[in-house]
Amino acid sequence: MKYVCNEATFDLPDDLVDRTVNMLMSHDGVSVSYVITRDQLLEGERLEGFVSRQLKDLSRQVSKFKETSRSEVRLGVAERVALGLQIDASFKQQGREIFQRQAVVQLPGGSRVLILTASAFRPFIDEEIAQWQKALASCTLL
């Protein structure tokens, strides 16, 4: 497999499963930060079931978990559009309230899932929502 990251490319064995986490943090520690993760659907699992299972696990790990919305979301443009789910939620962790928005999409040709998460210690402002929408529209799945 040709593995690509910002810093390099590598030829790695094809039978590896990518479970990396990319964290892109805001400079001020308050504005929105992004995390990109990868996961795998269980055998026979659909995307909606995956999201429900993951949120159930999260709700057990944090306090005051609240899912505020779940809707279908489009990633990409034109003929390269992928449909996924967007989840808006908030919770408390280590005494701090966290506001989170996620886009979850099943990758083509299998059971792999890509998750883009935006998090902040306050509700998202209009500019950050526009940046989120731009990130989703610019997505090209490989």
Side-chain angles (χ1 to χ4, degrees):
M1 123 175 69
K2 178 68 80 177
Y3 188 81
V4 180
C5 62
N6 278 349
E7 299 81 8
T9 63
F10 304 91
D11 287 321
L12 299 174
D14 288 333
D15 61 344
L16 298 175
V17 177
D18 187 353
R19 297 295 295 264
T20 57
V21 175
N22 301 95
M23 299 177 71
L24 303 122
M25 307 302 291
S26 66
H27 289 287
D28 64 7
V30 176
S31 301
V32 174
S33 295
Y34 286 84
V35 176
I36 303 165
T37 54
R38 294 101 174 138
D39 209 331
Q40 195 87 18
L41 298 173
L42 298 177
E43 188 171 326
E45 186 175 44
R46 300 178 72 72
L47 193 60
E48 182 73 37
F50 170 84
V51 167
S52 294
R53 178 171 56 84
Q54 293 296 320
L55 292 179
K56 184 177 181 182
D57 287 348
L58 176 63
S59 71
R60 284 183 259 178
Q61 298 169 21
V62 299
S63 64
K64 299 190 179 190
F65 176 82
K66 182 180 178 187
E67 181 179 336
T68 53
S69 71
R70 185 184 302 198
S71 60
E72 189 174 87
V73 67
R74 298 167 62 93
L75 289 86
V77 292
E79 62 277 342
R80 301 271 320 211
V81 168
L83 296 178
L85 292 173
Q86 178 174 304
I87 304 94
D88 293 344
S90 63
F91 52 88
K92 283 202 169 190
Q93 188 173 35
Q94 298 175 345
R96 295 190 77 177
E97 190 165 20
I98 298 172
F99 296 86
Q100 181 171 283
R101 180 169 279 187
Q102 289 187 311
V104 183
V105 63
Q106 186 172 351
L107 295 171
S111 59
R112 296 181 317 129
V113 176
L114 184 69
I115 306 156
L116 177 63
T117 304
S119 300
F121 292 115
R122 54 159 173 67
F124 298 119
I125 61 175
D126 290 343
E127 178 184 351
E128 294 163 341
I129 293 170
Q131 291 168 340
W132 170 260
Q133 291 167 340
K134 181 179 179 182
L136 296 182
S138 70
C139 179
T140 302
L141 299 178
L142 304 177

